[in-house]
Amino acid sequence: MDAKDILGLPKTPFSSSQEKKSRPPKEPQRKPDGVSREVYALTGGVGMAPLMPTVEASHLKRRPAAEKEKVAWQWLPFTSSARTDNLQLYHWVRVVNGVPPTGDYQFAKYNKKVDVHKYTDEEYEKYLIDPAWSREETDQLFELCERFDLRFIVVADRFPTSRSVEDLKSRYYSVSRSLLIHRARSFDDVSGNPLVKDSYDAAHETERKRALSALLSQTKQQEKKDAETLAEAKRIMESRAASKTVDEAGMPSSSDNAMVPVDGVSPLSSTHPPLTHPNTAANSSIPNSLRTLRVYLRTHALDQMVQAASASAGLRVIKRVDQTLQDLGVNLKPKVPTKAVCIEHLELRNEILTLLNLQKQLQNKEAEVSANRESSFTEAPSTPKRSNRDIDRPFVPDTVGFTGERAGKRDHKRKNTGRFIDAPPSPPQSKRPRKLKGSD
């Protein structure tokens, strides 16, 4: 439907009568004998294109004949099946050859109605009684829901008593859900229905609207502050996740464990060992193989933790630790391996290992101090000073040059002359340029 239909103009420039009629197929002509194919093709026997146009010029100047159909637009009344009051309205209609169109209104198919459940008096008395709602209010609610197609904003505006939108929704959906469940043969038949599957939560809906209202009423300063708070929370969560990953990793890498025991004290360090909580030391020394297990023997875990704690120490140090425990009257393996006993036992081993490292470090320092004292010479005040001749000097043999002269004396003679101290030494006799003779 366009402007040409309204003005009654034809859609095509030529009428259907002027369309080319189908021509009967031509019978194939046989090439006469004695004529070559090329010559016969030049005569037009095989369908060559004509050299001159075959359409007459008079056909091009003819006017198109009038169409058989007469189209007109008329102002006619109509009724719609979507209305129940038989209201009669008018609109423009395309009429062909004076025959108006029949049938229902073309936009009536878009009138969709919501199926609102109906209940009887018996069903209401059995399943739908609510102390907060009377029978009259429930009837009015369902009548308005059917009338306004579940537009609860309009229903709340037309409702006679003061009820919130959430209360109206909660009552309607609870009644509909109860009717579906009790009318079905089994619960499985209606378990997939949205009204049964997801029940309406009025408290959640109220909180959602309150949060949305608070979010939309924020100023730019509040939005900026909330963004900063979220960024800080994200940073804290990332740091906690990183620390958790480090704790789950267990012992440090082998490169760090080469000279550092479990409690974090290096045998070459001069600082005092830090005081750590026993639980922290025990948790840090739990092997990775036991972290993934939910249930394990504590004695087996203690053996692995002791091995992990003594991994950085040598075999001699481990034997010294065991000997120290025996001297103190402590069993190498606890008789009652409870959690507290195992923690204390592991802490005692770490302290003994730290003590042995400190003792070894002290011995190294004492040996270094004694060596420095023996190498240094302390002179008494009554002892006379030695002359340069009395000082012990290392023996240096005299080196002989190419010319047979001792290098030491030659160098000593050069150093005596004050003017030529900074001058470079003269080359040896063999490297001096020879004098030119008259024959040269």
Side-chain angles (χ1 to χ4, degrees):
M1 186 181 298
D2 53 4
K4 289 185 178 181
D5 296 335
I6 298 174
L7 298 177
L9 299 177
K11 294 184 178 180
T12 57
F14 298 100
S15 61
S16 60
S17 60
Q18 294 183 355
E19 294 181 355
K20 295 182 179 180
K21 298 180 181 180
S22 59
R23 298 179 181 179
K26 296 182 178 181
E27 297 180 359
Q29 298 179 1
R30 184 178 180 183
K31 180 175 70 65
D33 298 337
V35 180
S36 62
R37 189 194 314 172
E38 290 80 6
V39 176
Y40 182 71
L42 293 177
T43 60
V46 289
M48 289 185 61
L51 301 179
M52 298 296 295
T54 57
V55 180
E56 298 180 2
S58 59
H59 291 181
L60 301 176
K61 296 180 179 180
R62 286 181 183 179
R63 293 183 179 181
E67 296 180 354
K68 295 180 180 180
E69 296 181 355
K70 293 183 179 180
V71 180
W73 289 84
Q74 297 180 8
W75 181 256
L76 299 177
F78 74 96
T79 56
S80 176
S81 61
R83 303 185 65 92
T84 58
D85 52 359
N86 296 325
L87 179 65
Q88 188 176 8
L89 301 173
Y90 289 82
H91 65 162
W92 286 99
V93 181
R94 183 175 181 267
V95 180
V96 180
N97 296 330
V99 180
T102 58
D104 194 8
Y105 183 51
Q106 58 181 349
F107 293 104
K109 59 183 179 181
Y110 298 109
N111 184 44
K112 302 297 182 180
K113 300 294 291 184
V114 180
D115 295 334
V116 179
H117 297 278
K118 300 291 184 179
Y119 51 86
T120 61
D121 296 340
E122 184 180 359
E123 290 177 339
Y124 186 87
E125 293 295 334
K126 285 185 178 180
Y127 316 118
L128 308 179
I129 293 178
D130 190 352
W133 285 80
S134 63
R135 174 64 183 272
E136 292 77 11
E137 288 180 334
T138 306
D139 294 341
Q140 291 175 356
L141 172 62
F142 273 74
E143 181 182 355
L144 292 175
C145 287
E146 184 179 6
R147 180 181 176 185
F148 297 110
D149 296 333
L150 298 183
R151 297 181 178 92
F152 287 99
I153 301 296
V154 183
V155 172
D157 183 64
R158 301 295 180 90
F159 204 71
T161 58
S162 59
R163 295 276 188 175
S164 63
V165 178
E166 289 76 18
D167 293 340
L168 298 177
K169 287 184 177 181
S170 178
R171 178 58 176 169
Y172 172 78
Y173 289 124
S174 63
V175 170
S176 300
R177 187 171 184 271
S178 299
L179 290 175
L180 287 174
I181 293 174
H182 291 95
R183 287 177 182 177
R185 296 180 181 179
S186 62
F187 183 78
D188 296 336
D189 297 341
V190 294
S191 59
N193 194 301
L195 294 177
V196 180
K197 185 178 180 181
D198 301 322
S199 59
Y200 181 78
D201 190 357
H204 177 74
E205 185 69 13
T206 304
E207 181 63 21
R208 183 187 68 82
K209 289 185 177 181
R210 187 198 63 78
L212 181 61
S213 177
L215 179 63
L216 295 177
S217 61
Q218 282 185 345
T219 60
K220 293 184 177 180
Q221 290 77 9
Q222 292 176 345
E223 292 179 357
K224 184 178 179 180
K225 187 176 180 180
D226 291 346
E228 294 176 355
T229 304
L230 292 176
E232 182 66 19
K234 183 179 179 181
R235 187 188 64 79
I236 292 174
M237 292 297 293
E238 291 178 353
S239 62
R240 289 181 178 178
S243 61
K244 185 177 180 180
T245 305
V246 172
D247 294 341
E248 292 178 354
M251 297 295 293
S253 60
S254 59
S255 61
D256 297 334
N257 288 342
M259 298 298 293
V260 181
V262 177
D263 56 358
V265 179
S266 174
L268 301 179
S269 175
S270 60
T271 58
H272 295 285
L275 298 177
T276 58
H277 197 269
N279 295 335
T280 305
N283 294 334
S284 62
S285 58
I286 296 177
N288 296 334
S289 59
L290 297 178
R291 293 181 183 272
T292 57
L293 301 177
R294 294 183 178 271
V295 179
Y296 54 86
L297 295 177
R298 196 175 297 279
T299 53
H300 178 65
L302 180 62
D303 294 340
Q304 292 195 8
M305 286 189 290
V306 169
Q307 293 178 4
S310 306
S312 61
L315 183 59
R316 293 183 179 179
V317 177
I318 295 175
K319 290 183 178 180
R320 290 184 61 186
V321 171
D322 296 341
Q323 184 64 33
T324 306
L325 289 175
Q326 293 178 359
D327 296 343
L328 295 176
V330 180
N331 297 325
L332 298 181
K333 290 186 178 181
K335 294 183 178 181
V336 185
T338 60
K339 182 178 180 180
V341 173
C342 291
I343 291 175
E344 294 295 336
H345 184 82
L346 187 63
E347 181 65 19
L348 178 60
R349 280 183 171 274
N350 291 335
E351 291 180 355
I352 293 174
L353 184 62
T354 305
L355 177 62
L356 295 178
N357 291 332
L358 292 177
Q359 290 178 355
K360 183 177 180 181
Q361 183 179 357
L362 180 60
Q363 292 177 1
N364 294 336
K365 291 294 183 181
E366 289 178 352
E368 184 179 356
V369 170
S370 61
N372 291 335
R373 286 180 179 177
E374 291 177 358
S375 61
S376 61
F377 179 78
T378 54
E379 297 180 352
S382 59
T383 305
K385 294 182 179 181
R386 290 184 176 182
S387 59
N388 295 334
R389 295 181 180 178
D390 298 335
I391 297 175
D392 296 335
R393 296 180 181 177
F395 173 75
V396 179
D398 296 335
T399 58
V400 181
F402 290 100
T403 56
E405 186 180 1
R406 293 184 179 180
K409 292 184 178 182
R410 186 173 63 247
D411 294 340
H412 181 67
K413 291 180 181 180
R414 282 181 191 159
K415 292 180 181 179
N416 289 340
T417 56
R419 292 185 304 172
F420 303 100
I421 291 177
D422 298 333
S426 60
Q429 188 69 23
S430 61
K431 294 184 180 181
R432 292 181 182 179
R434 59 187 181 84
K435 295 181 180 180
L436 298 176
K437 298 180 180 181
S439 60
D440 297 336

